[in-house]
Amino acid sequence: MSDIIPTQKQIVGGLAVRNIDDLSRLSAMLAKSGFFADAKEAAQCGVKVLAGMELGFGAIASMVGVHIINGKPSMGANLMAAAVKRSGKYNYRITRHDNDGCTIVFYENGEVIGESTFTRDDAIAAGALDGKNGHTWKKFPRNMMFNRAMSNGVRWYCPDIFAGSVAYTPEELDCEVDEEGNTVDIPVVIDQQPPLMQVQPVHPQDLRVKNIRTLLDYPLDLVKEWLQFQDVKTPSQLEVSQVDELIKTMCLAWAADKTDHPLHAENSYKKHVTSVVGPEFEELEAIKQWMQHVHPPRQVEVKA
Protein backbone atom coordinates (compact mmCIF):
# COMPACT_ATOMS: atom_id res chain seq x y z
CA MET A 1 0.00 0.00 0.00
CA SER A 2 1.34 3.44 -0.89
CA ASP A 3 2.45 5.91 1.76
CA ILE A 4 0.15 8.85 2.36
CA ILE A 5 2.83 11.53 2.58
CA PRO A 6 6.15 9.90 1.66
CA THR A 7 8.32 12.97 2.26
CA GLN A 8 7.00 13.92 5.71
CA LYS A 9 7.15 12.31 9.12
CA GLN A 10 4.05 10.18 9.64
CA ILE A 11 4.34 9.69 13.40
CA VAL A 12 2.21 12.52 14.75
CA GLY A 13 1.48 12.80 18.44
CA GLY A 14 2.91 9.30 19.03
CA LEU A 15 0.53 7.66 16.50
CA ALA A 16 1.92 6.23 13.27
CA VAL A 17 -0.31 6.59 10.19
CA ARG A 18 1.74 4.84 7.53
CA ASN A 19 -0.76 4.19 4.74
CA ILE A 20 -4.39 4.32 3.65
CA ASP A 21 -5.28 1.21 5.67
CA ASP A 22 -4.03 2.82 8.90
CA LEU A 23 -5.97 5.97 8.13
CA SER A 24 -9.15 4.02 7.28
CA ARG A 25 -9.08 2.06 10.55
CA LEU A 26 -8.42 5.19 12.59
CA SER A 27 -11.18 7.11 10.79
CA ALA A 28 -13.72 4.32 11.35
CA MET A 29 -12.93 4.28 15.08
CA LEU A 30 -13.29 8.07 15.37
CA ALA A 31 -16.60 8.04 13.47
CA LYS A 32 -18.05 5.20 15.58
CA SER A 33 -17.10 6.96 18.83
CA GLY A 34 -19.85 9.55 18.27
CA PHE A 35 -17.82 12.22 20.04
CA PHE A 36 -17.40 14.52 17.04
CA ALA A 37 -20.59 16.21 15.87
CA ASP A 38 -19.17 17.68 12.66
CA ALA A 39 -17.72 14.38 11.37
CA LYS A 40 -20.09 11.43 11.59
CA GLU A 41 -18.73 9.45 8.65
CA ALA A 42 -15.35 7.71 8.39
CA ALA A 43 -14.48 9.60 5.21
CA GLN A 44 -15.07 12.95 6.93
CA CYS A 45 -12.91 11.90 9.88
CA GLY A 46 -10.18 10.73 7.50
CA VAL A 47 -10.10 14.04 5.67
CA LYS A 48 -9.86 15.97 8.95
CA VAL A 49 -7.04 13.76 10.25
CA LEU A 50 -5.19 13.95 6.94
CA ALA A 51 -5.56 17.75 6.84
CA GLY A 52 -4.32 17.95 10.42
CA MET A 53 -1.32 15.72 9.63
CA GLU A 54 -0.27 18.04 6.81
CA LEU A 55 -0.51 20.94 9.27
CA GLY A 56 1.50 19.03 11.89
CA PHE A 57 -1.25 18.07 14.37
CA GLY A 58 -2.20 14.73 15.90
CA ALA A 59 -5.46 12.87 15.28
CA ILE A 60 -7.49 14.14 18.26
CA ALA A 61 -6.24 17.72 17.91
CA SER A 62 -7.24 17.54 14.24
CA MET A 63 -10.73 16.21 15.02
CA VAL A 64 -11.34 18.89 17.66
CA GLY A 65 -9.50 21.89 16.26
CA VAL A 66 -9.27 21.47 12.47
CA HIS A 67 -12.40 22.08 10.40
CA ILE A 68 -13.00 21.83 6.65
CA ILE A 69 -15.23 24.75 5.69
CA ASN A 70 -16.19 25.24 2.05
CA GLY A 71 -13.23 23.07 1.10
CA LYS A 72 -10.74 25.11 3.14
CA PRO A 73 -8.98 23.87 6.31
CA SER A 74 -9.40 26.15 9.32
CA MET A 75 -8.35 26.04 12.96
CA GLY A 76 -8.65 27.97 16.20
CA ALA A 77 -6.09 30.66 17.01
CA ASN A 78 -4.82 28.62 19.95
CA LEU A 79 -3.68 25.86 17.58
CA MET A 80 -1.99 28.46 15.40
CA ALA A 81 -0.23 29.92 18.44
CA ALA A 82 0.91 26.45 19.53
CA ALA A 83 2.31 25.78 16.04
CA VAL A 84 4.30 29.03 16.18
CA LYS A 85 5.74 28.17 19.60
CA ARG A 86 6.67 24.59 18.73
CA SER A 87 8.28 25.49 15.39
CA GLY A 88 11.64 26.15 17.04
CA LYS A 89 12.15 28.99 14.57
CA TYR A 90 9.29 31.37 15.25
CA ASN A 91 7.95 32.94 18.41
CA TYR A 92 5.60 35.74 19.39
CA ARG A 93 4.97 38.22 22.18
CA ILE A 94 1.74 40.09 22.95
CA THR A 95 2.50 43.77 23.44
CA ARG A 96 -1.08 45.03 23.62
CA HIS A 97 -4.21 43.20 24.66
CA ASP A 98 -7.34 45.04 25.75
CA ASN A 99 -10.97 45.46 24.77
CA ASP A 100 -10.03 47.82 21.93
CA GLY A 101 -7.25 45.86 20.26
CA CYS A 102 -4.47 43.30 20.28
CA THR A 103 -0.90 43.60 18.97
CA ILE A 104 1.37 40.57 18.56
CA VAL A 105 5.06 40.92 17.66
CA PHE A 106 6.48 37.98 15.72
CA TYR A 107 10.08 36.75 15.93
CA GLU A 108 12.20 34.51 13.74
CA ASN A 109 15.31 33.01 15.32
CA GLY A 110 15.05 35.63 18.06
CA GLU A 111 14.77 38.64 15.74
CA VAL A 112 11.67 40.75 15.17
CA ILE A 113 10.17 40.21 11.71
CA GLY A 114 6.94 42.17 12.08
CA GLU A 115 3.81 42.74 14.09
CA SER A 116 0.10 42.08 13.66
CA THR A 117 -2.53 44.39 15.12
CA PHE A 118 -6.30 43.97 15.10
CA THR A 119 -8.46 46.70 16.64
CA ARG A 120 -12.10 47.41 17.35
CA ASP A 121 -12.09 49.71 14.30
CA ASP A 122 -10.91 46.78 12.17
CA ALA A 123 -13.72 44.62 13.57
CA ILE A 124 -16.29 47.31 12.78
CA ALA A 125 -14.91 47.73 9.25
CA ALA A 126 -15.13 43.96 8.71
CA GLY A 127 -18.73 43.86 9.98
CA ALA A 128 -17.74 41.45 12.75
CA LEU A 129 -19.71 43.23 15.48
CA ASP A 130 -22.95 43.00 13.53
CA GLY A 131 -22.53 39.49 12.12
CA LYS A 132 -23.44 36.07 13.49
CA ASN A 133 -20.58 36.35 15.99
CA GLY A 134 -21.55 39.82 17.18
CA HIS A 135 -22.64 38.51 20.59
CA THR A 136 -19.29 36.77 21.10
CA TRP A 137 -17.38 39.91 20.13
CA LYS A 138 -19.38 41.92 22.69
CA LYS A 139 -18.91 39.38 25.51
CA PHE A 140 -15.26 38.41 24.84
CA PRO A 141 -13.62 41.24 22.84
CA ARG A 142 -10.07 40.52 24.08
CA ASN A 143 -10.26 36.89 23.00
CA MET A 144 -11.63 37.74 19.58
CA MET A 145 -8.99 40.47 19.01
CA PHE A 146 -6.27 37.93 19.80
CA ASN A 147 -7.77 35.37 17.38
CA ARG A 148 -7.70 37.80 14.46
CA ALA A 149 -4.27 39.27 15.27
CA MET A 150 -2.78 35.77 15.53
CA SER A 151 -4.28 34.42 12.29
CA ASN A 152 -3.18 37.51 10.34
CA GLY A 153 0.33 37.31 11.80
CA VAL A 154 0.72 33.62 10.99
CA ARG A 155 -0.28 34.25 7.35
CA TRP A 156 2.00 37.27 7.06
CA TYR A 157 5.14 36.14 8.87
CA CYS A 158 5.08 32.34 9.40
CA PRO A 159 3.43 30.79 6.30
CA ASP A 160 5.86 27.88 6.17
CA ILE A 161 4.83 26.38 9.54
CA PHE A 162 1.79 24.92 7.76
CA ALA A 163 3.73 23.84 4.64
CA GLY A 164 2.26 26.62 2.55
CA SER A 165 -1.40 26.03 3.47
CA VAL A 166 -3.21 29.28 4.15
CA ALA A 167 -4.34 29.46 7.79
CA TYR A 168 -7.83 30.79 8.57
CA THR A 169 -9.91 30.78 11.73
CA PRO A 170 -13.48 29.45 11.41
CA GLU A 171 -14.82 32.95 12.06
CA GLU A 172 -12.97 34.28 9.01
CA LEU A 173 -14.82 31.64 6.96
CA ASP A 174 -18.17 32.91 8.30
CA CYS A 175 -18.79 30.22 10.94
CA GLU A 176 -20.23 30.84 14.37
CA VAL A 177 -17.51 30.50 17.02
CA ASP A 178 -17.04 30.60 20.79
CA GLU A 179 -14.66 32.90 22.69
CA GLU A 180 -11.70 30.64 21.87
CA GLY A 181 -12.38 30.88 18.14
CA ASN A 182 -13.59 27.27 17.83
CA THR A 183 -16.72 26.42 15.88
CA VAL A 184 -20.04 26.28 17.70
CA ASP A 185 -21.86 24.42 14.95
CA ILE A 186 -20.84 23.45 11.42
CA PRO A 187 -23.61 22.14 9.19
CA VAL A 188 -22.70 18.67 7.94
CA VAL A 189 -24.03 17.64 4.54
CA ILE A 190 -23.81 13.89 3.98
CA ASP A 191 -24.45 12.24 0.64
CA GLN A 192 -27.19 9.64 0.70
CA GLN A 193 -24.82 7.18 -0.97
CA PRO A 194 -22.23 5.55 1.30
CA PRO A 195 -19.02 7.53 0.73
CA LEU A 196 -16.03 5.71 -0.68
CA MET A 197 -12.82 6.78 0.92
CA GLN A 198 -10.23 7.20 -1.80
CA VAL A 199 -7.42 9.45 -0.66
CA GLN A 200 -4.89 9.85 -3.43
CA PRO A 201 -1.27 10.23 -2.27
CA VAL A 202 0.46 13.48 -3.18
CA HIS A 203 3.59 12.93 -5.26
CA PRO A 204 6.68 14.32 -3.48
CA GLN A 205 7.78 16.38 -6.52
CA ASP A 206 4.30 17.95 -6.92
CA LEU A 207 4.25 18.85 -3.21
CA ARG A 208 7.80 20.17 -3.43
CA VAL A 209 7.00 22.57 -6.28
CA LYS A 210 3.72 23.66 -4.65
CA ASN A 211 5.35 24.56 -1.33
CA ILE A 212 8.21 26.49 -2.91
CA ARG A 213 5.91 28.28 -5.38
CA THR A 214 3.73 29.36 -2.44
CA LEU A 215 6.75 30.59 -0.47
CA LEU A 216 7.95 32.65 -3.45
CA ASP A 217 4.43 33.80 -4.38
CA TYR A 218 5.31 32.73 -7.93
CA PRO A 219 2.39 32.86 -10.43
CA LEU A 220 0.78 29.48 -11.01
CA ASP A 221 0.16 30.32 -14.67
CA LEU A 222 3.91 30.65 -15.26
CA VAL A 223 4.50 27.21 -13.74
CA LYS A 224 1.83 25.71 -16.02
CA GLU A 225 3.39 27.45 -19.00
CA TRP A 226 6.83 26.05 -18.09
CA LEU A 227 5.39 22.54 -17.72
CA GLN A 228 3.54 22.84 -21.01
CA PHE A 229 6.80 23.74 -22.72
CA GLN A 230 8.21 20.46 -21.33
CA ASP A 231 5.13 18.65 -22.70
CA VAL A 232 3.92 17.52 -19.25
CA LYS A 233 1.08 18.51 -16.91
CA THR A 234 2.62 17.96 -13.46
CA PRO A 235 6.15 18.15 -11.99
CA SER A 236 5.93 14.46 -11.07
CA GLN A 237 6.13 13.62 -14.78
CA LEU A 238 9.59 15.21 -15.00
CA GLU A 239 13.03 13.95 -14.08
CA VAL A 240 14.26 15.19 -10.69
CA SER A 241 16.95 17.28 -12.43
CA GLN A 242 14.23 19.02 -14.47
CA VAL A 243 12.25 19.80 -11.31
CA ASP A 244 15.46 21.23 -9.82
CA GLU A 245 15.70 23.51 -12.86
CA LEU A 246 12.06 24.62 -12.48
CA ILE A 247 12.64 25.52 -8.83
CA LYS A 248 15.82 27.38 -9.71
CA THR A 249 13.92 29.30 -12.41
CA MET A 250 11.23 30.35 -9.90
CA CYS A 251 13.82 31.41 -7.32
CA LEU A 252 15.90 33.48 -9.74
CA ALA A 253 12.74 35.14 -11.09
CA TRP A 254 11.88 36.15 -7.52
CA ALA A 255 15.38 37.61 -7.04
CA ALA A 256 15.50 39.39 -10.41
CA ASP A 257 14.55 42.83 -9.07
CA LYS A 258 16.36 42.41 -5.75
CA THR A 259 19.96 42.09 -6.93
CA ASP A 260 22.27 44.34 -8.94
CA HIS A 261 23.31 41.63 -11.39
CA PRO A 262 21.71 38.28 -12.43
CA LEU A 263 24.97 36.44 -11.79
CA HIS A 264 24.94 37.61 -8.18
CA ALA A 265 21.54 35.98 -7.60
CA GLU A 266 22.58 32.77 -9.37
CA ASN A 267 25.86 32.51 -7.46
CA SER A 268 24.21 33.11 -4.12
CA TYR A 269 21.55 30.50 -4.98
CA LYS A 270 24.27 27.92 -5.64
CA LYS A 271 26.03 28.83 -2.41
CA HIS A 272 23.03 29.03 -0.07
CA VAL A 273 20.68 26.45 -1.63
CA THR A 274 22.24 24.01 -4.11
CA SER A 275 25.37 23.33 -2.07
CA VAL A 276 23.67 22.95 1.34
CA VAL A 277 20.50 20.95 0.63
CA GLY A 278 20.79 17.37 1.78
CA PRO A 279 19.54 14.81 4.30
CA GLU A 280 20.29 17.15 7.21
CA PHE A 281 19.03 20.41 5.68
CA GLU A 282 15.64 20.77 4.01
CA GLU A 283 15.30 22.57 0.70
CA LEU A 284 12.40 24.80 1.81
CA GLU A 285 14.38 26.07 4.81
CA ALA A 286 17.47 26.67 2.63
CA ILE A 287 15.42 28.74 0.17
CA LYS A 288 13.84 30.73 3.02
CA GLN A 289 17.29 31.61 4.37
CA TRP A 290 18.53 32.43 0.86
CA MET A 291 15.60 34.82 0.39
CA GLN A 292 16.54 36.59 3.62
CA HIS A 293 20.13 36.83 2.42
CA VAL A 294 19.10 38.34 -0.92
CA HIS A 295 16.41 40.63 0.52
CA PRO A 296 16.75 41.04 4.33
CA PRO A 297 13.40 41.73 6.08
CA ARG A 298 12.74 45.22 7.34
CA GLN A 299 13.32 45.47 11.06
CA VAL A 300 10.35 46.66 13.12
CA GLU A 301 11.11 48.72 16.21
CA VAL A 302 9.13 47.57 19.24
CA LYS A 303 8.26 50.39 21.61
CA ALA A 304 8.56 49.66 25.31
Side-chain angles (χ1 to χ4, degrees), residues 25-298:
R25 287 193 294 269
L26 175 61
S27 302
M29 180 187 70
L30 293 169
K32 289 179 181 178
S33 73
F35 292 140
F36 308 104
D38 65 335
K40 299 182 181 297
E41 299 292 328
Q44 295 171 320
C45 294
V47 170
K48 291 190 69 171
V49 171
L50 189 58
M53 284 177 58
E54 292 186 353
L55 298 174
F57 300 118
I60 298 301
S62 300
M63 291 299 299
V64 174
V66 177
H67 306 282
I68 311 299
I69 303 171
N70 296 327
K72 298 179 180 179
S74 69
M75 70 200 77
N78 287 339
L79 275 185
M80 295 185 191
V84 172
K85 289 286 187 182
R86 75 168 183 218
S87 67
K89 181 171 67 171
Y90 297 109
N91 207 337
Y92 71 87
R93 181 165 65 91
I94 301 173
T95 58
R96 174 193 177 187
H97 197 193
D98 53 44
N99 288 342
D100 293 317
C102 178
T103 297
I104 304 175
V105 179
F106 286 82
Y107 299 82
E108 181 175 351
N109 297 323
E111 296 185 359
V112 174
I113 54 175
E115 67 177 30
S116 174
T117 298
F118 198 87
T119 66
R120 182 178 180 83
D121 288 341
D122 293 326
I124 293 174
L129 300 185
D130 299 322
K132 64 176 62 177
N133 289 299
H135 62 289
T136 308
W137 273 93
K138 293 172 184 176
K139 290 177 64 177
F140 306 102
R142 296 176 73 247
N143 299 50
M144 302 299 278
M145 300 287 184
F146 170 80
N147 295 344
R148 286 297 188 95
M150 176 58 67
S151 63
N152 284 339
V154 167
R155 288 195 296 272
W156 294 342
Y157 305 116
C158 319
D160 52 320
I161 62 174
F162 295 133
S165 296
V166 181
Y168 291 102
T169 62
E171 185 206 0
E172 291 174 299
L173 297 179
D174 200 31
C175 280
E176 187 174 358
V177 299
D178 59 19
E179 66 274 16
E180 300 299 330
N182 296 315
T183 58
V184 173
D185 184 26
I186 296 180
V188 179
V189 178
I190 301 176
D191 195 342
Q192 296 299 319
Q193 298 296 325
L196 296 177
M197 187 174 176
Q198 296 179 344
V199 181
Q200 295 297 326
V202 180
H203 195 281
Q205 296 302 333
D206 293 338
L207 185 62
R208 176 188 176 198
V209 172
K210 175 186 176 183
N211 289 343
I212 294 173
R213 185 192 70 78
T214 301
L215 177 63
L216 297 168
D217 195 23
Y218 190 80
L220 179 59
D221 288 343
L222 294 183
V223 173
K224 292 181 177 179
E225 184 177 309
W226 194 95
L227 293 172
Q228 186 177 13
F229 185 75
Q230 305 297 324
D231 199 27
V232 297
K233 293 184 177 180
T234 65
S236 58
Q237 296 174 292
L238 298 169
E239 297 292 334
V240 173
S241 60
Q242 293 176 294
V243 179
D244 293 341
E245 187 63 28
L246 169 58
I247 290 173
K248 178 181 176 181
T249 299
M250 292 192 295
C251 289
L252 295 184
W254 173 87
D257 61 347
K258 300 175 179 65
T259 56
D260 297 331
H261 196 280
L263 284 178
H264 174 71
E266 185 167 358
N267 290 336
S268 66
Y269 180 83
K270 291 179 181 178
K271 177 180 179 181
H272 294 278
V273 180
T274 306
S275 63
V276 301
V277 172
E280 298 181 358
F281 202 82
E282 294 183 355
E283 182 179 43
L284 194 65
E285 178 62 24
I287 292 176
K288 182 72 179 294
Q289 293 188 15
W290 170 74
M291 292 170 68
Q292 293 176 347
H293 171 77
V294 173
H295 188 61
R298 181 176 62 87

